């Protein structure tokens, strides 16, 4: 999709949220990240920090703890919910255990473009996920990181088609839909916490993993992976969440300030991902990783929709809910 189209989809969000901000007692917020500070997650969090500290006149300070310093992403969601952590940026698949219907966003080949990703997280659908996560997970979504499609990397062999996946051990998050997807495609998924992934790849406990180009480069996977395959099965969305109890304890003016900061950081992150994803891919290639396209991805998509989706309709709220999302995406 053309960049100007993506920008236009987001511009109305910022204008709608230019609200006054009240002063509050000096407060330091702790925000945890699963990924390094120079990742998509870091870009979102740093922009949020910049806006909050400037807009609040120094009444709020934001400390960011990247690369799993505060635990894995599911732990950070739990900590934000209980109030021992103010906020976190996590992959959407790591928040679905606390709000199963949000698993719709991890159905393979549901989203097929940046346009779909923006539509899925703004407007009516954005409001839907915000309400669901408040009620079921106890966290409040302030913004989203758009990290592009999760491409496949591995150290064993080139993967250009379904047949090449046979026998490939792929690290996946502890997410039933993602596990089921790779099983249906013929690979051997190995559920594993994110902080353990690099070492597992290095020691060849697993052959590969899937993540966006920017994540793969910032995690230095070029040191332990030889091949990258341009798969489009899952667009990686990563919400910035704040504990709902903490959010509701704030004055209305401060809630508005955090909401605006989250949306502005979201817009900034979108532009970053659009412009930097190709650069990250090229950086991986320059580091010696062999790049290839998928020859039969229409077959991957067919398997996903016919074999994977039906297995998870019940867990995400039913086929009717999936159809509503598809309609909202214009499909």
């Amino acid at each position: 999709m053309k960049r100007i189209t993506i920008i236009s989809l987001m511009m109305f969000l910022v204008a709608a949220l230019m609200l006054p901000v009240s002063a509050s007692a000096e407060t330091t917020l702790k925000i945890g990240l699963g990924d390094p500070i120079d990742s998509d997650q870091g870009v979102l969090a740093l922009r949020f920090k910049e806006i909050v500290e400037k807009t609040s006149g120094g009444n709020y300070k934001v400390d960011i703890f990247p690369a799993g310093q505060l635990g894995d992403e599911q732990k950070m969601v739990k900590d934000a919910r209980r109030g021992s952590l103010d906020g976190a940026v996590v992959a959407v698949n790591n928040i679905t255990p606390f709000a199963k219907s949000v698993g719709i966003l991890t159905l393979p080949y549901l989203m097929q473009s940046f346009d779909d990703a923006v539509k899925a997280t703004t407007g009516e659908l954005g409001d839907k996920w915000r309400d669901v996560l408040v009620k079921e997970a106890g966290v409040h979504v302030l913004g989203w990181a758009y990290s592009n499609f999760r491409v496949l990397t591995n150290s064993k062999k080139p993967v250009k088609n379904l047949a090449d996946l046979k026998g490939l051990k792929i690290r996946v998050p502890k997410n039933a839909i993602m596990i089921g997807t790779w099983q249906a495609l013929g690979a051997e998924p190995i559920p594993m916490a994110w902080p353990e992934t690099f070492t597992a790849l290095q020691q060849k406990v697993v052959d590969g993993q899937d993540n966006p180009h920017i994540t793969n480069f910032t995690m230095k996977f070029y040191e332990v992976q030889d091949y990258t395959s341009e798969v489009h099965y899952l667009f990686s969305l990563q919400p910035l969440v704040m504990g709902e109890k903490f959010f509701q304890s704030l004055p209305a003016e401060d809630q508005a300030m955090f909401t605006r900061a989250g949306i502005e950081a979201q817009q900034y992150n979108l532009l970053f991902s659009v412009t930097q994803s190709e650069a990250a891919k090229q950086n991986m290639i320059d580091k010696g990783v062999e790049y290839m396209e998928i020859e039969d991805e229409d077959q991957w998509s067919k398997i996903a929709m016919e074999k994977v989706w039906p297995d998870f309709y019940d867990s995400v709220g039913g086929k009717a809910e999936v159809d509503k999302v598809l309609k909202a995406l214009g499909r």
Side-chain angles (χ1 to χ4, degrees):
M1 189 181 72
K2 294 182 179 179
R3 293 177 189 172
I4 188 66
T5 305
I6 297 171
I7 295 170
S8 65
L9 285 169
M10 299 295 293
M11 287 301 293
F12 78 96
L13 294 166
V14 177
L17 291 164
M18 297 299 290
L19 302 173
V21 178
S22 69
S24 62
E26 183 175 346
T27 303
T28 298
L29 304 181
K30 291 174 61 177
I31 303 292
L33 313 179
D35 290 349
I37 196 66
D38 54 350
S39 66
D40 303 83
Q41 290 187 358
V43 167
L44 183 73
L46 286 170
R47 187 65 168 178
F48 178 78
K49 168 185 170 71
E50 178 185 357
I51 296 168
V52 166
E53 292 181 348
K54 181 177 180 180
T55 306
S56 71
N59 291 316
Y60 282 99
K61 180 182 178 184
V62 179
D63 288 344
I64 301 171
F65 298 84
Q69 292 180 43
L70 302 182
D72 65 35
E73 293 188 358
Q74 290 189 16
K75 179 182 184 297
M76 287 190 284
V77 175
K78 292 178 184 177
D79 289 344
R81 178 172 60 183
R82 67 168 59 104
S84 58
L85 177 64
D86 299 308
V89 183
V90 301
V92 71
N93 52 271
N94 283 322
I95 206 168
T96 54
F98 311 98
K100 291 185 178 180
S101 62
V102 180
I104 288 177
L105 298 177
T106 66
L107 287 174
Y109 293 99
L110 176 82
M111 286 176 283
Q112 300 179 1
S113 66
F114 265 103
D115 192 10
D116 283 350
V118 172
K119 288 179 180 177
T121 52
T122 58
E124 182 179 343
L125 286 178
D127 292 341
K128 173 186 175 70
W129 308 130
R130 186 177 296 108
D131 291 344
V132 166
L133 288 170
V134 165
K135 293 175 183 177
E136 298 181 19
V139 295
H140 190 98
V141 177
L142 294 174
W144 295 82
Y146 298 96
S147 300
N148 216 320
F149 290 99
R150 296 176 72 110
V151 300
L152 175 66
T153 70
N154 86 94
S155 61
K156 191 173 184 179
K157 59 182 177 180
V159 174
K160 298 181 180 180
N161 52 56
L162 282 171
D164 294 333
L165 286 174
K166 187 175 181 180
L168 202 67
K169 294 181 179 180
I170 302 174
R171 175 270 170 186
V172 295
K174 297 174 183 178
N175 176 278
I177 295 176
M178 296 175 73
I179 293 169
T181 297
W182 285 113
Q183 287 175 333
L185 293 173
E188 183 180 345
I190 309 294
M192 183 179 296
W194 182 231
E196 302 170 10
T197 303
F198 188 94
T199 300
L201 293 169
Q202 188 176 47
Q203 297 178 349
K204 299 194 183 300
V205 174
V206 292
D207 302 311
Q209 61 84 50
D210 65 279
N211 262 293
H213 291 299
I214 292 174
T215 302
N216 292 335
F217 181 67
T218 58
M219 287 295 295
K220 299 183 178 180
F221 283 153
Y222 52 81
E223 295 180 357
V224 291
Q225 300 281 264
D226 299 315
Y227 308 101
T228 293
S229 301
E230 189 77 41
V231 185
H232 303 91
Y233 89 103
L234 181 60
F235 195 103
S236 182
L237 294 168
Q238 308 197 71
L240 165 61
V241 298
M242 178 176 283
E244 176 65 6
K245 289 182 180 178
F246 174 69
F247 185 79
Q248 291 302 328
S249 73
L250 300 170
E253 294 86 351
D254 289 356
Q255 289 182 7
M257 183 265 292
F258 284 125
T259 299
R260 183 182 69 181
I263 293 298
E264 291 187 8
Q266 175 176 321
Q267 182 188 42
Y268 184 83
N269 175 272
L270 175 63
L271 297 177
F272 172 85
S273 186
V274 170
T275 58
Q276 295 303 311
S277 183
E278 285 297 312
K281 179 176 76 174
Q282 187 59 50
N283 288 337
M284 291 286 286
I285 295 171
D286 292 344
K287 291 290 186 178
V289 178
E290 184 179 345
Y291 170 83
M292 62 212 67
E293 304 279 350
I294 300 298
E295 300 168 340
D296 58 351
E297 197 162 12
D298 59 329
Q299 294 301 308
W300 297 45
S301 177
K302 186 173 187 292
I303 290 171
M305 295 180 184
E306 293 182 358
K307 295 185 177 181
V308 180
W309 288 22
D311 287 345
F312 294 97
Y313 282 145
D314 289 344
S315 69
V316 299
K319 185 178 183 299
E321 288 300 312
V322 176
D323 289 341
K324 288 179 183 177
V325 173
L326 287 172
K327 183 178 179 180
L329 297 180
R331 301 218 311 276

